[in-house]
Amino acid sequence: VLAGEGLLSPPVLRELRDGEEYWALERRLCGQMERGQPLDPAEVVRASGLKSFDYRVLHLLLMQLVRSEVSPADVNTGAPGIPCRRAGGVASCASGGGASCASGGVASCA
């Protein structure tokens, strides 16, 4: 579906692959804990770093939908503001409320 919509970009593919790795690590680590086996600290740290891949995928998809390309600054960062692309310089927020545009052309939800 993502490929058909032109949204299966290299960053999205990377995050989806990270998600597959996370799920495999999670299953392995949980199985080891159930059996009382020791955990490899490096695997625990790796799994922790991969954990929120789904939010990163959603963020990348949103950025692709609101602007033509995703900049490197948008990858693996927090949640930057949404660029103002609507008439009158107003974007909408996930809460359904309006957003005001800051001087840098970025929406800020109240």
Side-chain angles (χ1 to χ4, degrees):
V1 172
L2 293 175
E5 295 295 324
L7 296 171
L8 196 56
S9 65
V12 170
L13 276 172
R14 244 185 330 273
E15 291 298 339
L16 291 173
R17 287 187 190 116
D18 282 353
E20 290 175 337
E21 181 183 352
Y22 168 72
W23 286 328
L25 279 169
E26 180 184 49
R27 286 189 301 272
R28 184 169 52 246
L29 292 169
C30 287
Q32 289 174 312
M33 288 180 3
E34 286 177 354
R35 293 184 298 276
Q37 297 174 336
L39 302 178
D40 178 355
E43 283 190 339
V44 173
V45 169
R46 178 71 178 153
S48 178
L50 295 170
K51 184 173 182 168
S52 297
F53 76 93
D54 51 343
Y55 290 101
R56 290 188 297 272
V57 167
L58 290 173
H59 175 73
L60 289 168
L61 293 173
L62 176 63
M63 297 310 295
Q64 288 179 99
L65 290 169
V66 297
R67 63 178 170 207
S68 60
E69 69 181 61
V70 177
S71 72
D74 294 327
V75 179
N76 289 326
T77 61
I82 298 170
C84 295
R85 295 240 179 199
R86 299 195 177 213
V90 177
S92 61
C93 298
S95 63
S100 59
C101 293
S103 59
V106 174
S108 173
C109 296

